[in-house]
């Protein structure tokens, strides 16, 4: 049963770059009041895309009240996160005479947040921006922490900057318009937080995940808040990923290889790759003796109970063989001095970064996982 719940506020404490993540239903409808304190003049530039605009742009503009707004509506999809749309966006912002003290509003999922944030980072050597994430994935991960950027022909997110937003408005009500597959993809990142550092949160997700996925806004808000609290804490301790922040990449070394193998297309959404990657990372941890065999089984059981992609067999179409996947992993930007790094776990809620994993063990794991297809 839905309950009316007050807005939660999670602070990201980074000195002069600190900001709040406000989480609750109805934030879009009062966006003007939420951002008023950040404005030097009553005018904002909105960056969004052609999927989000028909759903939420009118509501945002109405919510802005007396604040004037202008918008650019970009094409939908990962292809938008490249030089062409970045250039289009930055030139448009300059045409719109957006000044350094003005505010850019990113209304959309991870692609829009990353691109608009990077445009803000480079416009006039740094302009402020507000994230209004419209997907679960963006609410729990990409809108928080200041990673902005675009893709290179050589790989994802290879061009970018750390540029923290001035505010994040995570409106839980916007998740109602997400197709189930996209909601569950974002849930892959939610589960990741439990797996990497909070066993009690994972217990809670096992108990509440199905009701949360079915639409309970109160549960959704709690899940987003806990995820954001965990991310905020990690970012505060390690903003530029010199150490602990790498734990947020649990499941991502496998995920990036699988995304590349499926051409970043509809066969595998990012959060689906994260979920499969987390299951593989726990299996690898168990094979390497870091955790018991029960741990990967429990991870997979929860993902399956949620109706999520869990195994390589759940990815439609052909995949490279184990050597091919290993080669794709070697191109990951998390590679340091040519060595593959994995986030592994000593148990649910106890992840760590492993620098020297034997590639033969990874190859054997992938070969076995591919046999299940
Ligand atoms: N999405 C991983 C990070 O923000 O570090």
């Amino acid at each position: 049963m839905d309950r009316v719940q007050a807005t939660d506020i999670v602070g990201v404490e980074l000195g002069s770059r600190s900001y709040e993540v406000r989480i609750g239903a109805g934030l879009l409808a009062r966006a003007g009041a939420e951002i008023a304190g950040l404005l030097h003049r009553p005018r904002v530039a909105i960056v969004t895309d052609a999927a989000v605009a028909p759903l939420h742009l009118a509501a945002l503009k109405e919510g802005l009240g007396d604040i004037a707004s202008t918008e650019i509506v970009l094409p939908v999809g990962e292809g938008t996160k490249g030089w062409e749309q970045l250039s289009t966006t930055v030139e448009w912002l300059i045409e719109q005479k957006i000044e350094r003290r003005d505010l850019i509003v990113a209304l959309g999922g991870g692609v829009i947040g990353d691109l608009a944030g990077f445009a803000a980072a480079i416009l006039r050597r740094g302009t402020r921006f507000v994230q209004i994430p419209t997907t679960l994935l963006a609410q729990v991960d990409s809108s928080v922490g200041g990673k902005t950027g675009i893709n290179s022909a050589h790989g994802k997110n290879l061009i970018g900057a750390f540029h923290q937003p001035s505010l994040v408005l995570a409106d839980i009500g916007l998740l109602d318009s997400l197709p189930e597959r996209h909601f569950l993809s974002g849930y892959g990142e939610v589960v990741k937080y439990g797996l990497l550092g909070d066993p009690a949160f994972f217990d809670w997700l096992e108990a509440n995940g199905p009701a949360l996925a079915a639409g309970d806004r109160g549960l959704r808000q709690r899940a987003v808040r806990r995820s954001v609290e965990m991310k905020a804490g990690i970012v505060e301790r390690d903003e530029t990923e010199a150490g602990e922040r790498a734990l947020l990449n649990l499941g991502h070394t496998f995920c990036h290889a699988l995304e590349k193998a499926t051409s970043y297309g509809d066969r595998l959404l990012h959060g689906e790759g994260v979920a499969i990657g987390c299951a593989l990372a726990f299996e690898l941890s168990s094979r390497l003796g870091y955790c018991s065999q029960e741990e990967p089984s429990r991870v997979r059981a929860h993902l399956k109970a949620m109706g999520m992609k869990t195994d390589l067999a759940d990815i439609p179409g052909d995949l490279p063989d184990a050597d091919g996947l290993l080669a794709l992993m070697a191109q990951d930007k998390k590679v340091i001095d040519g060595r593959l790094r994995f986030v592994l776990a000593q148990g649910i809620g106890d992840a760590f970064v492993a620098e020297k994993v034997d590639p033969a063990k990874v190859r054997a794991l992938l070969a076995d996982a591919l046999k299940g297809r």
Side-chain angles (χ1 to χ4, degrees):
M1 165 90 70
D2 280 358
R3 293 171 302 280
V4 177
Q5 202 162 324
T7 300
D8 286 308
I9 299 180
V10 179
V12 184
E13 304 300 333
L14 292 167
S16 61
R17 287 166 291 102
S18 297
Y19 55 96
E20 288 182 354
V21 183
R22 299 181 194 154
I23 305 156
L27 289 166
L28 197 67
R30 52 174 198 274
E34 297 289 335
I35 69 173
L38 295 170
L39 297 174
H40 290 279
R41 57 174 173 163
R43 185 163 180 266
V44 297
I46 302 168
V47 180
T48 188
D49 72 25
V52 172
L55 295 172
H56 304 305
L57 183 58
L60 170 59
K61 289 175 84 79
E62 196 176 327
L64 286 170
D66 293 339
I67 300 166
S69 59
T70 176
E71 65 272 349
I72 185 167
V73 180
L74 299 173
V76 180
E78 193 68 32
T80 293
K81 247 179 81 170
W83 289 115
E84 189 184 338
Q85 297 303 333
L86 177 72
S87 161
T88 301
T89 303
V90 173
E91 294 296 343
W92 174 79
L93 290 165
I94 295 168
E95 276 164 30
Q96 298 299 315
K97 301 190 168 48
I98 296 302
E99 298 170 5
R100 259 186 113 183
R101 298 195 318 167
D102 286 332
L103 212 53
I104 296 164
V105 175
L107 175 70
V111 167
I112 288 298
D114 285 7
L115 178 126
F118 189 40
I122 59 177
L123 179 72
R124 303 183 198 281
R125 297 197 179 87
T127 306
R128 297 169 314 144
F129 77 116
V130 171
Q131 292 267 22
I132 305 187
T134 57
T135 64
L136 180 59
L137 188 137
Q139 291 191 354
V140 299
D141 183 32
S142 56
S143 68
V144 180
K147 279 190 179 174
T148 72
I150 58 171
N151 301 329
S152 146
H154 298 282
K156 266 181 89 170
N157 298 326
L158 292 179
I159 303 149
F162 286 101
H163 184 53
Q164 299 291 343
S166 297
L167 175 68
V168 181
L169 297 177
D171 187 332
I172 297 298
L174 306 190
L175 303 179
D176 293 350
S177 63
L178 269 188
E180 188 189 16
R181 184 178 173 204
H182 287 261
F183 184 87
L184 288 179
S185 168
Y187 187 80
E189 295 278 5
V190 175
V191 172
K192 182 192 76 177
Y193 288 105
L195 294 178
L196 75 87
D198 188 347
F201 184 46
F202 186 79
D203 294 347
W204 185 86
L205 290 171
E206 284 181 317
N208 294 288
L212 184 163
D216 186 312
R217 283 192 180 177
L219 295 177
R220 287 180 172 195
Q221 185 165 329
R222 283 180 64 180
V224 173
R225 186 192 67 206
R226 183 64 196 133
S227 300
V228 170
E229 280 171 355
M230 289 190 67
K231 178 143 189 190
I234 290 171
V235 168
E236 285 167 359
R237 292 187 291 274
D238 178 23
E239 184 181 8
T240 57
E241 203 171 310
E244 184 185 355
R245 188 165 179 168
L247 296 181
L248 294 173
N249 297 318
L250 176 62
H252 282 64
T253 306
F254 291 108
C255 170
H256 289 157
L258 294 170
E259 282 185 297
K260 204 154 191 183
T262 51
S263 309
Y264 304 103
D266 197 49
R267 283 169 64 198
L268 186 73
L269 303 178
H270 177 70
E272 293 175 334
V274 171
I276 294 172
C278 285
L280 288 170
F282 269 77
E283 179 61 31
L284 184 58
S285 303
S286 159
R287 288 185 180 204
L288 294 173
Y290 291 118
C291 69
S292 73
Q293 285 176 347
E294 284 71 45
E295 306 283 286
S297 303
R298 197 175 153 202
V299 174
R300 291 180 70 256
H302 179 53
L303 299 177
K304 281 209 176 298
M306 294 297 292
M308 296 167 70
K309 287 189 168 59
T310 312
D311 301 305
L312 296 188
D314 298 327
I315 303 172
D318 292 337
L319 285 179
D321 63 11
D323 282 320
L325 287 174
L326 209 56
L328 291 175
M329 284 180 196
Q331 292 168 19
D332 194 278
K333 73 177 185 308
K334 306 295 184 301
V335 170
I336 293 183
D337 296 335
R339 282 180 311 168
L340 263 185
R341 283 199 303 168
F342 282 90
V343 181
L344 298 178
Q346 289 177 309
I348 286 171
D350 190 5
F352 67 98
V353 177
E355 303 280 354
K356 287 182 187 161
V357 177
D358 180 358
K361 292 274 193 323
V362 182
R363 187 183 295 107
L365 169 78
L366 290 169
D368 289 345
L370 285 162
K371 272 185 213 146
R373 285 171 57 81

